[in-house]
PDB file of all heavy atoms in Angstrom:
ATOM      1  N   TYR A 100      34.374  53.366 160.768  1.00 96.00           N
ATOM      2  CA  TYR A 100      33.186  53.718 159.981  1.00 96.00           C
ATOM      3  C   TYR A 100      32.973  52.672 158.891  1.00 96.00           C
ATOM      4  O   TYR A 100      33.911  52.284 158.190  1.00 96.00           O
ATOM      5  CB  TYR A 100      33.345  55.104 159.352  1.00 96.00           C
ATOM      6  CG  TYR A 100      33.096  56.231 160.333  1.00 96.00           C
ATOM      7  CD1 TYR A 100      34.104  56.654 161.187  1.00 96.00           C
ATOM      8  CD2 TYR A 100      31.841  56.835 160.420  1.00 96.00           C
ATOM      9  CE1 TYR A 100      33.881  57.666 162.110  1.00 96.00           C
ATOM     10  CE2 TYR A 100      31.610  57.851 161.332  1.00 96.00           C
ATOM     11  CZ  TYR A 100      32.625  58.266 162.174  1.00 96.00           C
ATOM     12  OH  TYR A 100      32.388  59.268 163.091  1.00 96.00           O
ATOM     13  N   LEU A 101      31.734  52.212 158.769  1.00 97.00           N
ATOM     14  CA  LEU A 101      31.386  51.173 157.806  1.00 97.00           C
ATOM     15  C   LEU A 101      30.690  51.752 156.580  1.00 97.00           C
ATOM     16  O   LEU A 101      30.098  52.825 156.638  1.00 97.00           O
ATOM     17  CB  LEU A 101      30.473  50.132 158.462  1.00 97.00           C
ATOM     18  CG  LEU A 101      30.936  49.520 159.783  1.00 97.00           C
ATOM     19  CD1 LEU A 101      29.949  48.444 160.222  1.00 97.00           C
ATOM     20  CD2 LEU A 101      32.349  48.938 159.666  1.00 97.00           C
ATOM     21  N   ASN A 102      30.755  51.011 155.484  1.00 96.00           N
ATOM     22  CA  ASN A 102      29.985  51.360 154.285  1.00 96.00           C
ATOM     23  C   ASN A 102      28.505  51.036 154.454  1.00 96.00           C
ATOM     24  O   ASN A 102      27.669  51.482 153.661  1.00 96.00           O
ATOM     25  CB  ASN A 102      30.526  50.581 153.078  1.00 96.00           C
ATOM     26  CG  ASN A 102      31.830  51.151 152.560  1.00 96.00           C
ATOM     27  OD1 ASN A 102      31.936  52.352 152.332  1.00 96.00           O
ATOM     28  ND2 ASN A 102      32.828  50.296 152.379  1.00 96.00           N
ATOM     29  N   ILE A 103      28.195  50.250 155.457  1.00 97.00           N
ATOM     30  CA  ILE A 103      26.822  49.798 155.682  1.00 97.00           C
ATOM     31  C   ILE A 103      25.885  50.983 155.928  1.00 97.00           C
ATOM     32  O   ILE A 103      26.208  51.895 156.683  1.00 97.00           O
ATOM     33  CB  ILE A 103      26.756  48.841 156.889  1.00 97.00           C
ATOM     34  CG1 ILE A 103      27.639  47.603 156.640  1.00 97.00           C
ATOM     35  CG2 ILE A 103      25.321  48.435 157.194  1.00 97.00           C
ATOM     36  CD1 ILE A 103      27.178  46.730 155.502  1.00 97.00           C
ATOM     37  N   ASP A 104      24.742  50.946 155.274  1.00 96.00           N
ATOM     38  CA  ASP A 104      23.663  51.910 155.520  1.00 96.00           C
ATOM     39  C   ASP A 104      22.674  51.214 156.460  1.00 96.00           C
ATOM     40  O   ASP A 104      21.910  50.347 156.039  1.00 96.00           O
ATOM     41  CB  ASP A 104      22.988  52.291 154.203  1.00 96.00           C
ATOM     42  CG  ASP A 104      21.919  53.350 154.359  1.00 96.00           C
ATOM     43  OD1 ASP A 104      21.270  53.392 155.421  1.00 96.00           O
ATOM     44  OD2 ASP A 104      21.710  54.139 153.417  1.00 96.00           O
ATOM     45  N   MET A 105      22.707  51.573 157.749  1.00 96.00           N
ATOM     46  CA  MET A 105      21.896  50.841 158.720  1.00 96.00           C
ATOM     47  C   MET A 105      20.403  51.023 158.505  1.00 96.00           C
ATOM     48  O   MET A 105      19.609  50.145 158.869  1.00 96.00           O
ATOM     49  CB  MET A 105      22.273  51.248 160.142  1.00 96.00           C
ATOM     50  CG  MET A 105      23.521  50.559 160.673  1.00 96.00           C
ATOM     51  SD  MET A 105      23.562  48.753 160.449  1.00 96.00           S
ATOM     52  CE  MET A 105      22.151  48.257 161.429  1.00 96.00           C
ATOM     53  N   ALA A 106      19.998  52.127 157.914  1.00 96.00           N
ATOM     54  CA  ALA A 106      18.575  52.283 157.595  1.00 96.00           C
ATOM     55  C   ALA A 106      18.170  51.227 156.569  1.00 96.00           C
ATOM     56  O   ALA A 106      17.128  50.566 156.700  1.00 96.00           O
ATOM     57  CB  ALA A 106      18.299  53.689 157.066  1.00 96.00           C
ATOM     58  N   LEU A 107      19.011  51.037 155.544  1.00 97.00           N
ATOM     59  CA  LEU A 107      18.757  50.011 154.538  1.00 97.00           C
ATOM     60  C   LEU A 107      18.876  48.627 155.149  1.00 97.00           C
ATOM     61  O   LEU A 107      18.050  47.738 154.874  1.00 97.00           O
ATOM     62  CB  LEU A 107      19.750  50.174 153.385  1.00 97.00           C
ATOM     63  CG  LEU A 107      19.664  49.153 152.261  1.00 97.00           C
ATOM     64  CD1 LEU A 107      18.368  49.323 151.487  1.00 97.00           C
ATOM     65  CD2 LEU A 107      20.862  49.273 151.315  1.00 97.00           C
ATOM     66  N   GLN A 108      19.896  48.419 155.970  1.00 97.00           N
ATOM     67  CA  GLN A 108      20.109  47.131 156.629  1.00 97.00           C
ATOM     68  C   GLN A 108      18.895  46.738 157.465  1.00 97.00           C
ATOM     69  O   GLN A 108      18.378  45.619 157.351  1.00 97.00           O
ATOM     70  CB  GLN A 108      21.352  47.212 157.521  1.00 97.00           C
ATOM     71  CG  GLN A 108      21.630  45.988 158.362  1.00 97.00           C
ATOM     72  CD  GLN A 108      22.341  44.883 157.624  1.00 97.00           C
ATOM     73  OE1 GLN A 108      22.922  45.115 156.571  1.00 97.00           O
ATOM     74  NE2 GLN A 108      22.313  43.686 158.172  1.00 97.00           N
ATOM     75  N   SER A 109      18.417  47.655 158.288  1.00 97.00           N
ATOM     76  CA  SER A 109      17.273  47.361 159.164  1.00 97.00           C
ATOM     77  C   SER A 109      16.009  47.110 158.350  1.00 97.00           C
ATOM     78  O   SER A 109      15.202  46.231 158.688  1.00 97.00           O
ATOM     79  CB  SER A 109      17.059  48.526 160.133  1.00 97.00           C
ATOM     80  OG  SER A 109      18.187  48.709 160.950  1.00 97.00           O
ATOM     81  N   PHE A 110      15.836  47.873 157.275  1.00 97.00           N
ATOM     82  CA  PHE A 110      14.667  47.677 156.412  1.00 97.00           C
ATOM     83  C   PHE A 110      14.700  46.294 155.777  1.00 97.00           C
ATOM     84  O   PHE A 110      13.687  45.577 155.754  1.00 97.00           O
ATOM     85  CB  PHE A 110      14.645  48.763 155.336  1.00 97.00           C
ATOM     86  CG  PHE A 110      13.510  48.629 154.356  1.00 97.00           C
ATOM     87  CD1 PHE A 110      12.226  49.030 154.699  1.00 97.00           C
ATOM     88  CD2 PHE A 110      13.724  48.094 153.085  1.00 97.00           C
ATOM     89  CE1 PHE A 110      11.174  48.897 153.797  1.00 97.00           C
ATOM     90  CE2 PHE A 110      12.687  47.959 152.187  1.00 97.00           C
ATOM     91  CZ  PHE A 110      11.407  48.367 152.542  1.00 97.00           C
ATOM     92  N   ALA A 111      15.871  45.899 155.272  1.00 97.00           N
ATOM     93  CA  ALA A 111      16.000  44.589 154.648  1.00 97.00           C
ATOM     94  C   ALA A 111      15.781  43.466 155.665  1.00 97.00           C
ATOM     95  O   ALA A 111      15.166  42.444 155.358  1.00 97.00           O
ATOM     96  CB  ALA A 111      17.380  44.464 153.995  1.00 97.00           C
ATOM     97  N   GLU A 112      16.282  43.665 156.874  1.00 97.00           N
ATOM     98  CA  GLU A 112      16.093  42.657 157.919  1.00 97.00           C
ATOM     99  C   GLU A 112      14.607  42.467 158.223  1.00 97.00           C
ATOM    100  O   GLU A 112      14.144  41.338 158.433  1.00 97.00           O
ATOM    101  CB  GLU A 112      16.843  43.068 159.182  1.00 97.00           C
ATOM    102  CG  GLU A 112      18.352  42.956 159.066  1.00 97.00           C
ATOM    103  CD  GLU A 112      19.094  43.541 160.250  1.00 97.00           C
ATOM    104  OE1 GLU A 112      18.473  44.285 161.037  1.00 97.00           O
ATOM    105  OE2 GLU A 112      20.289  43.256 160.391  1.00 97.00           O
ATOM    106  N   GLU A 113      13.888  43.547 158.249  1.00 96.00           N
ATOM    107  CA  GLU A 113      12.461  43.472 158.550  1.00 96.00           C
ATOM    108  C   GLU A 113      11.707  42.716 157.460  1.00 96.00           C
ATOM    109  O   GLU A 113      10.739  41.999 157.741  1.00 96.00           O
ATOM    110  CB  GLU A 113      11.889  44.882 158.716  1.00 96.00           C
ATOM    111  CG  GLU A 113      10.501  44.936 159.322  1.00 96.00           C
ATOM    112  CD  GLU A 113      10.434  44.337 160.717  1.00 96.00           C
ATOM    113  OE1 GLU A 113      11.417  44.478 161.485  1.00 96.00           O
ATOM    114  OE2 GLU A 113       9.399  43.705 161.043  1.00 96.00           O
ATOM    115  N   LEU A 114      12.141  42.875 156.210  1.00 96.00           N
ATOM    116  CA  LEU A 114      11.468  42.198 155.095  1.00 96.00           C
ATOM    117  C   LEU A 114      11.547  40.679 155.209  1.00 96.00           C
ATOM    118  O   LEU A 114      10.629  39.974 154.769  1.00 96.00           O
ATOM    119  CB  LEU A 114      12.095  42.631 153.766  1.00 96.00           C
ATOM    120  CG  LEU A 114      11.823  44.058 153.287  1.00 96.00           C
ATOM    121  CD1 LEU A 114      12.626  44.340 152.018  1.00 96.00           C
ATOM    122  CD2 LEU A 114      10.334  44.274 153.024  1.00 96.00           C
ATOM    123  N   ILE A 115      12.640  40.159 155.775  1.00 95.00           N
ATOM    124  CA  ILE A 115      12.824  38.702 155.837  1.00 95.00           C
ATOM    125  C   ILE A 115      12.898  38.210 157.280  1.00 95.00           C
ATOM    126  O   ILE A 115      13.483  37.161 157.558  1.00 95.00           O
ATOM    127  CB  ILE A 115      14.091  38.275 155.063  1.00 95.00           C
ATOM    128  CG1 ILE A 115      15.331  38.998 155.593  1.00 95.00           C
ATOM    129  CG2 ILE A 115      13.924  38.529 153.573  1.00 95.00           C
ATOM    130  CD1 ILE A 115      16.635  38.501 154.976  1.00 95.00           C
ATOM    131  N   ARG A 116      12.297  38.971 158.186  1.00 93.00           N
ATOM    132  CA  ARG A 116      12.394  38.648 159.608  1.00 93.00           C
ATOM    133  C   ARG A 116      11.903  37.239 159.933  1.00 93.00           C
ATOM    134  O   ARG A 116      12.437  36.576 160.822  1.00 93.00           O
ATOM    135  CB  ARG A 116      11.610  39.677 160.426  1.00 93.00           C
ATOM    136  CG  ARG A 116      11.675  39.434 161.934  1.00 93.00           C
ATOM    137  CD  ARG A 116      11.345  40.666 162.715  1.00 93.00           C
ATOM    138  NE  ARG A 116      12.250  41.749 162.422  1.00 93.00           N
ATOM    139  CZ  ARG A 116      13.470  41.855 162.951  1.00 93.00           C
ATOM    140  NH1 ARG A 116      13.920  40.929 163.784  1.00 93.00           N
ATOM    141  NH2 ARG A 116      14.236  42.874 162.647  1.00 93.00           N
ATOM    142  N   ASP A 117      10.892  36.766 159.242  1.00 91.00           N
ATOM    143  CA  ASP A 117      10.310  35.459 159.550  1.00 91.00           C
ATOM    144  C   ASP A 117      10.858  34.342 158.663  1.00 91.00           C
ATOM    145  O   ASP A 117      10.298  33.244 158.634  1.00 91.00           O
ATOM    146  CB  ASP A 117       8.792  35.534 159.402  1.00 91.00           C
ATOM    147  CG  ASP A 117       8.158  36.518 160.363  1.00 91.00           C
ATOM    148  OD1 ASP A 117       8.670  36.643 161.493  1.00 91.00           O
ATOM    149  OD2 ASP A 117       7.165  37.181 159.986  1.00 91.00           O
ATOM    150  N   GLU A 118      11.929  34.622 157.934  1.00 93.00           N
ATOM    151  CA  GLU A 118      12.487  33.643 157.011  1.00 93.00           C
ATOM    152  C   GLU A 118      13.895  33.236 157.422  1.00 93.00           C
ATOM    153  O   GLU A 118      14.539  33.884 158.247  1.00 93.00           O
ATOM    154  CB  GLU A 118      12.545  34.229 155.586  1.00 93.00           C
ATOM    155  CG  GLU A 118      11.215  34.723 155.046  1.00 93.00           C
ATOM    156  CD  GLU A 118      10.281  33.599 154.641  1.00 93.00           C
ATOM    157  OE1 GLU A 118      10.713  32.417 154.648  1.00 93.00           O
ATOM    158  OE2 GLU A 118       9.122  33.888 154.299  1.00 93.00           O
ATOM    159  N   ARG A 119      14.348  32.161 156.827  1.00 94.00           N
ATOM    160  CA  ARG A 119      15.771  31.828 156.829  1.00 94.00           C
ATOM    161  C   ARG A 119      16.288  32.336 155.492  1.00 94.00           C
ATOM    162  O   ARG A 119      16.052  31.718 154.445  1.00 94.00           O
ATOM    163  CB  ARG A 119      15.991  30.324 156.977  1.00 94.00           C
ATOM    164  CG  ARG A 119      15.462  29.762 158.286  1.00 94.00           C
ATOM    165  CD  ARG A 119      15.687  28.259 158.388  1.00 94.00           C
ATOM    166  NE  ARG A 119      15.076  27.543 157.264  1.00 94.00           N
ATOM    167  CZ  ARG A 119      13.794  27.248 157.181  1.00 94.00           C
ATOM    168  NH1 ARG A 119      12.964  27.601 158.148  1.00 94.00           N
ATOM    169  NH2 ARG A 119      13.329  26.618 156.123  1.00 94.00           N
ATOM    170  N   ALA A 120      16.978  33.450 155.523  1.00 96.00           N
ATOM    171  CA  ALA A 120      17.280  34.129 154.263  1.00 96.00           C
ATOM    172  C   ALA A 120      18.507  35.014 154.400  1.00 96.00           C
ATOM    173  O   ALA A 120      19.022  35.237 155.504  1.00 96.00           O
ATOM    174  CB  ALA A 120      16.068  34.966 153.838  1.00 96.00           C
ATOM    175  N   ALA A 121      18.960  35.523 153.258  1.00 97.00           N
ATOM    176  CA  ALA A 121      20.107  36.434 153.236  1.00 97.00           C
ATOM    177  C   ALA A 121      19.932  37.437 152.106  1.00 97.00           C
ATOM    178  O   ALA A 121      19.351  37.119 151.058  1.00 97.00           O
ATOM    179  CB  ALA A 121      21.410  35.671 153.060  1.00 97.00           C
ATOM    180  N   ILE A 122      20.424  38.644 152.333  1.00 98.00           N
ATOM    181  CA  ILE A 122      20.416  39.708 151.334  1.00 98.00           C
ATOM    182  C   ILE A 122      21.779  40.384 151.361  1.00 98.00           C
ATOM    183  O   ILE A 122      22.280  40.741 152.427  1.00 98.00           O
ATOM    184  CB  ILE A 122      19.325  40.766 151.621  1.00 98.00           C
ATOM    185  CG1 ILE A 122      17.927  40.123 151.629  1.00 98.00           C
ATOM    186  CG2 ILE A 122      19.387  41.904 150.609  1.00 98.00           C
ATOM    187  CD1 ILE A 122      16.826  41.082 152.072  1.00 98.00           C
ATOM    188  N   VAL A 123      22.369  40.550 150.189  1.00 98.00           N
ATOM    189  CA  VAL A 123      23.627  41.296 150.067  1.00 98.00           C
ATOM    190  C   VAL A 123      23.432  42.377 149.022  1.00 98.00           C
ATOM    191  O   VAL A 123      23.011  42.087 147.898  1.00 98.00           O
ATOM    192  CB  VAL A 123      24.803  40.384 149.667  1.00 98.00           C
ATOM    193  CG1 VAL A 123      26.080  41.214 149.535  1.00 98.00           C
ATOM    194  CG2 VAL A 123      25.001  39.274 150.687  1.00 98.00           C
ATOM    195  N   ALA A 124      23.723  43.628 149.391  1.00 98.00           N
ATOM    196  CA  ALA A 124      23.612  44.759 148.469  1.00 98.00           C
ATOM    197  C   ALA A 124      24.956  45.466 148.398  1.00 98.00           C
ATOM    198  O   ALA A 124      25.556  45.774 149.431  1.00 98.00           O
ATOM    199  CB  ALA A 124      22.529  45.725 148.922  1.00 98.00           C
ATOM    200  N   ILE A 125      25.433  45.729 147.180  1.00 97.00           N
ATOM    201  CA  ILE A 125      26.743  46.320 146.943  1.00 97.00           C
ATOM    202  C   ILE A 125      26.607  47.504 145.989  1.00 97.00           C
ATOM    203  O   ILE A 125      25.772  47.486 145.074  1.00 97.00           O
ATOM    204  CB  ILE A 125      27.703  45.273 146.332  1.00 97.00           C
ATOM    205  CG1 ILE A 125      27.941  44.119 147.314  1.00 97.00           C
ATOM    206  CG2 ILE A 125      29.035  45.889 145.929  1.00 97.00           C
ATOM    207  CD1 ILE A 125      28.760  42.995 146.729  1.00 97.00           C
ATOM    208  N   ASP A 126      27.435  48.524 146.189  1.00 96.00           N
ATOM    209  CA  ASP A 126      27.531  49.615 145.229  1.00 96.00           C
ATOM    210  C   ASP A 126      28.548  49.200 144.169  1.00 96.00           C
ATOM    211  O   ASP A 126      29.744  49.104 144.461  1.00 96.00           O
ATOM    212  CB  ASP A 126      27.989  50.898 145.930  1.00 96.00           C
ATOM    213  CG  ASP A 126      27.969  52.109 145.002  1.00 96.00           C
ATOM    214  OD1 ASP A 126      27.990  51.920 143.763  1.00 96.00           O
ATOM    215  OD2 ASP A 126      27.949  53.245 145.507  1.00 96.00           O
ATOM    216  N   PRO A 127      28.107  48.946 142.922  1.00 96.00           N
ATOM    217  CA  PRO A 127      29.041  48.477 141.883  1.00 96.00           C
ATOM    218  C   PRO A 127      30.126  49.494 141.532  1.00 96.00           C
ATOM    219  O   PRO A 127      31.162  49.125 140.983  1.00 96.00           O
ATOM    220  CB  PRO A 127      28.129  48.234 140.667  1.00 96.00           C
ATOM    221  CG  PRO A 127      26.752  48.094 141.238  1.00 96.00           C
ATOM    222  CD  PRO A 127      26.723  49.005 142.424  1.00 96.00           C
ATOM    223  N   GLN A 128      29.888  50.777 141.857  1.00 94.00           N
ATOM    224  CA  GLN A 128      30.859  51.805 141.489  1.00 94.00           C
ATOM    225  C   GLN A 128      32.137  51.744 142.327  1.00 94.00           C
ATOM    226  O   GLN A 128      33.195  52.147 141.870  1.00 94.00           O
ATOM    227  CB  GLN A 128      30.217  53.198 141.651  1.00 94.00           C
ATOM    228  CG  GLN A 128      28.961  53.411 140.816  1.00 94.00           C
ATOM    229  CD  GLN A 128      29.243  53.478 139.331  1.00 94.00           C
ATOM    230  OE1 GLN A 128      30.325  53.900 138.928  1.00 94.00           O
ATOM    231  NE2 GLN A 128      28.289  53.049 138.519  1.00 94.00           N
ATOM    232  N   ASN A 129      32.024  51.244 143.561  1.00 93.00           N
ATOM    233  CA  ASN A 129      33.208  51.245 144.438  1.00 93.00           C
ATOM    234  C   ASN A 129      33.357  49.992 145.305  1.00 93.00           C
ATOM    235  O   ASN A 129      34.303  49.901 146.098  1.00 93.00           O
ATOM    236  CB  ASN A 129      33.186  52.484 145.341  1.00 93.00           C
ATOM    237  CG  ASN A 129      31.882  52.616 146.112  1.00 93.00           C
ATOM    238  OD1 ASN A 129      31.203  51.622 146.392  1.00 93.00           O
ATOM    239  ND2 ASN A 129      31.519  53.841 146.461  1.00 93.00           N
ATOM    240  N   GLY A 130      32.458  49.039 145.191  1.00 94.00           N
ATOM    241  CA  GLY A 130      32.554  47.803 145.974  1.00 94.00           C
ATOM    242  C   GLY A 130      32.065  47.923 147.402  1.00 94.00           C
ATOM    243  O   GLY A 130      32.178  46.970 148.185  1.00 94.00           O
ATOM    244  N   ALA A 131      31.498  49.076 147.773  1.00 95.00           N
ATOM    245  CA  ALA A 131      31.015  49.267 149.141  1.00 95.00           C
ATOM    246  C   ALA A 131      29.827  48.351 149.420  1.00 95.00           C
ATOM    247  O   ALA A 131      28.870  48.300 148.649  1.00 95.00           O
ATOM    248  CB  ALA A 131      30.599  50.722 149.349  1.00 95.00           C
TER     249      ALA A 131
END
């Protein structure tokens, strides 16, 4: 089981689908 939220992951991917880009999102409370 991953900490990844695939709904958030897929949404973020769609935002930059036509770019060369990267997004990293972390929960500061636990490092997830």
Side-chain angles (χ1 to χ4, degrees):
Y100 282 83
L101 308 184
N102 284 310
I103 300 295
D104 184 329
M105 279 311 298
L107 178 68
Q108 175 82 17
S109 299
F110 178 78
E112 288 172 345
E113 193 60 35
L114 289 175
I115 57 173
R116 181 160 300 280
D117 298 325
E118 304 286 353
R119 298 179 303 280
I122 300 173
V123 179
I125 297 174
D126 186 339
Q128 302 291 331
N129 54 27

